[in-house]
Amino acid sequence: RLDGLQASILLAKLPYILKWSKKRLDNANTYINELNMIEEVICPKIRPGSKHTFHLFVVRVKNRENLIQYLSENGIQTSIHYPAALPNMPAYKYLNYTEKDFPISSDYQNKILSLPMYPELEINQIKHICLTIKSFYKK
């Protein structure tokens, strides 16, 4: 359900959606090209024949907490959008699952990190983010 104000904002933004989606994809490809050579960073894969809008750009990293701190100290904001795998969330506690029941998702929940992603992000900004990540792992 949308109220009138939300609908009018959406209507004003709708003509730009394809342009913004393409820019997000271009940004994602820049990240992937820049970060793929870093062993400690695993980028999302884009499957042939599929489309992705990259609302978020989520990577898996080693030493996440220290990387977050390092990026923050260098003026780069990151986020953890999915802090717990679904089976590990409080809403599913009644099912009595443990992290051992879902070892891969339980492992990933401690490694995923969202890097800056929005259509206005410029290539030089992405390259700066990637260089900062590279410098962290070269220490």
Side-chain angles (χ1 to χ4, degrees):
R1 296 179 168 208
L2 293 176
D3 62 37
L5 180 60
Q6 290 173 324
S8 63
I9 292 170
L10 181 60
L11 192 58
K13 289 183 167 192
L14 205 51
Y16 303 98
I17 193 76
L18 294 178
K19 178 182 171 186
W20 289 340
S21 294
K22 179 172 181 341
K23 185 68 167 93
R24 285 175 175 277
L25 180 59
D26 292 345
N27 288 346
N29 281 321
T30 301
Y31 269 126
I32 291 166
N33 290 334
E34 293 290 324
L35 296 175
N36 258 347
M37 63 198 78
I38 303 172
E39 181 180 316
E40 297 87 352
V41 178
I42 299 173
C43 294
K45 305 285 185 247
I46 302 173
R47 286 178 273 166
S50 65
K51 291 186 178 184
H52 201 308
T53 57
F54 283 98
H55 168 67
L56 301 172
F57 191 81
V58 181
V59 293
R60 278 185 285 137
V61 298
K62 292 184 179 176
N63 204 359
R64 180 177 72 182
E65 297 309 317
N66 290 338
L67 176 60
I68 290 169
Q69 181 179 346
Y70 184 78
L71 292 173
S72 178
E73 289 168 358
N74 285 279
I76 299 167
Q77 183 179 3
T78 60
S79 189
I80 300 170
H81 284 92
Y82 307 106
L86 280 175
N88 302 333
M89 296 185 81
Y92 298 104
K93 191 171 183 87
Y94 73 96
L95 295 171
N96 296 316
Y97 289 128
T98 68
E99 290 189 1
K100 291 179 183 175
D101 293 318
F102 299 92
I104 295 172
S105 18
S106 295
D107 178 52
Y108 284 11
Q109 76 184 6
N110 300 314
K111 294 179 179 175
I112 58 173
L113 180 65
S114 296
L115 299 178
M117 174 55 84
Y118 48 93
E120 297 81 12
L121 194 61
E122 297 295 330
I123 289 178
N124 64 330
Q125 293 171 303
I126 297 170
K127 289 190 176 194
H128 170 72
I129 293 164
C130 295
L131 280 172
T132 307
I133 293 170
K134 289 174 190 176
S135 71
F136 172 78
Y137 286 112
K138 287 183 181 177
K139 292 195 292 179

